[in-house]
Amino acid sequence: MTIPNKYLFAALLLSGALAAGASDNTQPELWDFQQCLDYASSHNIQLQQSQLTVESGKYDLEAAKAKWFPTLDFATSHGYTNYSSPADGAKSNSYAGSYGLNAQWTLFDGGSRSNSIKRQQLQTESNNLTVEQLQNYLSTEILSCYLQVLYAKESIDIANQTVEVSKTQKERAEQLMKSGRLSRVDYAQLESQYQSDVYNVVSAQTNYDSKIMSLKKILELDIESDIALATPNLDDNLVLSELPDKIEVFHTALAWLPEMKSSELQQQINDTDIKIARSGYYPTISLSGSVGASNASGTGYSFGDQLKNSLHEQIGVTLSVPIFNQKSTKTAVAKAKVDRLNADLNLESTKNDISQTIESIYLEAQNAQAKYISGKEKLKSAELTDELTNEQFRLGLVNPLELLTSHNDLLNARLELLQSKYLAILNIKLLNFYNNQGITLP
């Protein structure tokens, strides 16, 4: 009988992978869940960029505080003048220079500086919360990827077990065919199932490699890095652990999640923006002072004498009262108020998002636990049915279709149980995370 090309190709891939694994003695580095978290905290590029934003915000705060200090500068100017028709006895050109120290200090600006400092302090705190929020996001993403890798790894084991059973069935079918108790068509069905199961092993391995790649992407590991994950003890006590009350989880989450604190801080920032905008209605009072001297050519005095004789000091106070500024202040205040209303909506939206997320996680955890319980019973039934069907097939009492049906039912029962197990664990851990209990694996 001719084996279909796609099954032959799958078999070659599997044999090649097994041969490569046998010849390669290098074992990938074993990582546990906490190692993944620690490494991501130090190497994730997005997190590092967020931390740099915090550092930049500190300099913005220093700049805002520096607005309280006076300014001081030194200025000098020099000019050369040429006269086309100078007076009798006068030179046709002259040189003049001036030198001065100038200082200015704003005494009152309607509270703009003090509110700008307050705003930048709030913004710095908000930047820190963004870092915390990103760290939390990384933790949940790593948890999801970690469990997906473990699921894919166990799927490979199931696929390998299925291949062994399928191989035994094919060999028994071959014996029955040779003895005339099974037709070639029936044998071809079982052989096709075997090749399909062989390909499923390759597919499961590819899925595993894909999940490892997703985890490496979060960890910022390059293509040359090869890792494997430690397998924690994920028993029934964890899968079927009691779920916390979703209402309590929701209120706990509102109290500690950085995105909630960040939304509340944004309200305070917008309140401060309104005060900064309103400062445009107030007058500005500034103090200025200068010390200067000058010199010129053709005076008959030396450079030093000229500076001494022209040395002068000046001090003054300037009051600037806004009268009409093309509605710039009024517009700024109106826009700041709109931003404040938008911050209220964002806060409400954040609350709703957290509520919906927690409720969804809770329902998925409930469903996964119920599915896991029923899946265990379904697996027992499928194993018993498959065992009896195999024995009957060995005795030639059932046809290949019945054997293939029990074979596939058993495979599906194993995969469904495995899926419900990891879905339950994921959602239980996420509920604990929102309940401010952190994320850990045994």
Side-chain angles (χ1 to χ4, degrees):
M1 175 182 174
T2 302
I3 300 176
N5 289 336
K6 65 177 182 178
Y7 297 130
L8 179 60
F9 177 68
L12 290 174
L13 283 178
L14 178 60
S15 61
L18 293 175
S23 61
D24 185 8
N25 294 324
T26 303
Q27 296 296 324
E29 184 178 357
L30 198 64
W31 292 50
D32 62 22
F33 179 70
Q34 190 59 47
Q35 282 179 291
C36 292
L37 290 181
D38 295 341
Y39 189 88
S41 297
S42 303
H43 295 82
N44 184 267
I45 293 177
Q46 190 177 359
L47 181 58
Q48 292 182 62
Q49 290 174 331
S50 183
Q51 291 168 339
L52 289 177
T53 301
V54 172
E55 291 300 314
S56 178
K58 292 179 181 178
Y59 292 112
D60 291 335
L61 179 57
E62 289 183 13
K65 291 180 178 179
K67 295 291 185 181
W68 279 101
F69 298 103
T71 61
L72 177 66
D73 65 84
F74 170 77
T76 180
S77 63
H78 302 269
Y80 185 83
T81 305
N82 180 66
Y83 299 96
S84 58
S85 300
D88 294 340
K91 294 183 178 180
S92 60
N93 52 64
S94 66
Y95 160 82
S98 65
Y99 314 87
L101 281 173
N102 305 294
Q104 187 172 5
W105 185 23
T106 301
L107 301 177
F108 179 75
D109 62 355
S112 176
R113 289 173 299 179
S114 58
N115 284 313
S116 294
I117 292 173
K118 180 180 178 182
R119 187 194 191 286
Q120 194 54 51
Q121 288 172 334
L122 293 172
Q123 187 61 54
T124 300
E125 190 175 348
S126 179
N127 292 340
N128 285 320
L129 289 173
T130 300
V131 173
E132 292 182 25
Q133 187 174 348
L134 185 54
Q135 288 175 329
N136 289 338
Y137 169 78
L138 286 175
S139 297
T140 55
E141 283 297 296
I142 290 173
L143 172 67
S144 177
C145 286
Y146 198 99
L147 292 177
Q148 287 181 41
V149 170
L150 296 181
Y151 168 78
K153 183 179 179 182
E154 288 197 46
S155 296
I156 295 175
D157 296 336
I158 292 175
N160 283 322
Q161 293 172 15
T162 303
V163 165
E164 292 300 321
V165 174
S166 186
K167 181 181 179 182
T168 302
Q169 291 173 346
K170 181 183 75 73
E171 292 173 349
R172 175 56 183 163
E174 186 176 9
Q175 294 174 359
L176 292 175
M177 182 186 67
K178 289 179 179 179
S179 66
R181 299 169 61 188
L182 189 70
S183 69
R184 182 173 293 275
V185 174
D186 290 338
Y187 170 75
Q189 289 180 323
L190 293 174
E191 186 176 33
S192 176
Q193 179 65 53
Y194 169 70
Q195 300 300 339
S196 178
D197 290 337
V198 168
Y199 177 77
N200 287 340
V201 174
V202 179
S203 179
Q205 181 63 50
T206 301
N207 184 54
Y208 172 81
D209 294 337
S210 175
K211 300 306 180 183
I212 285 288
M213 184 179 67
S214 297
L215 180 59
K216 287 169 61 177
K217 181 178 179 181
I218 298 177
L219 298 178
E220 305 293 350
L221 294 172
D222 58 29
I223 193 173
E224 296 179 351
S225 302
D226 191 14
I227 65 172
L229 301 186
T231 303
N233 181 25
L234 306 176
D235 56 17
D236 285 5
N237 291 330
L238 174 58
V239 178
L240 301 176
S241 58
E242 183 178 357
L243 301 180
D245 182 77
K246 62 182 179 182
I247 304 298
E248 293 181 2
V249 173
F250 172 65
H251 289 295
T252 301
L254 293 183
W256 79 270
L257 280 178
E259 45 264 53
M260 276 300 301
K261 294 181 180 179
S262 181
S263 296
E264 292 168 353
L265 271 180
Q266 189 59 50
Q267 290 180 317
Q268 299 179 44
I269 290 174
N270 292 133
D271 286 337
T272 309
D273 286 338
I274 294 174
K275 294 178 182 179
I276 293 174
R278 283 176 175 167
S279 66
Y281 288 123
Y282 295 93
T284 300
I285 303 173
S286 58
L287 178 67
S288 62
S290 63
V291 178
S294 62
N295 73 301
S297 63
T299 62
Y301 292 95
S302 66
F303 176 77
D305 288 339
Q306 288 188 61
L307 292 184
K308 179 180 178 182
N309 294 334
S310 63
L311 182 65
H312 64 277
E313 299 87 18
Q314 180 268 335
I315 188 170
V317 177
T318 300
L319 172 65
S320 177
V321 181
I323 297 176
F324 179 71
N325 60 1
Q326 300 175 328
K327 292 187 177 181
S328 62
T329 301
K330 183 178 180 180
T331 303
V333 172
K335 290 180 66 177
K337 288 181 177 179
V338 171
D339 290 340
R340 178 59 170 82
L341 293 175
N342 191 45
D344 292 340
L345 295 176
N346 285 336
L347 177 61
E348 191 64 28
S349 177
T350 302
K351 286 182 180 179
N352 291 337
D353 288 344
I354 294 173
S355 173
Q356 293 170 8
T357 298
I358 291 175
E359 188 166 16
S360 176
I361 292 172
Y362 186 85
L363 291 175
E364 288 180 7
Q366 272 190 327
N367 181 66
Q369 285 184 327
K371 193 173 181 180
Y372 182 77
I373 293 173
S374 65
K376 294 187 73 172
E377 296 302 319
K378 183 178 179 181
L379 178 59
K380 289 180 182 178
S381 176
E383 287 175 338
L384 180 59
T385 300
D386 186 68
E387 182 180 351
L388 293 175
T389 305
N390 271 284
E391 180 62 25
Q392 289 175 332
F393 177 74
R394 189 181 68 82
L395 299 174
L397 300 178
V398 296
N399 59 49
L401 180 60
E402 293 177 282
L403 181 66
L404 292 176
T405 299
S406 66
H407 175 83
N408 290 324
D409 286 345
L410 177 59
L411 175 60
N412 291 333
R414 286 173 173 169
L415 292 176
E416 287 177 7
L417 182 65
L418 187 65
Q419 184 183 52
S420 61
K421 169 186 175 181
Y422 281 101
L423 278 176
I425 293 172
L426 173 61
N427 288 286
I428 289 170
K429 289 299 179 179
L430 288 177
L431 280 176
N432 291 337
F433 163 75
Y434 281 104
N435 208 25
N436 200 18
Q437 296 178 3
I439 300 179
T440 59
L441 286 178

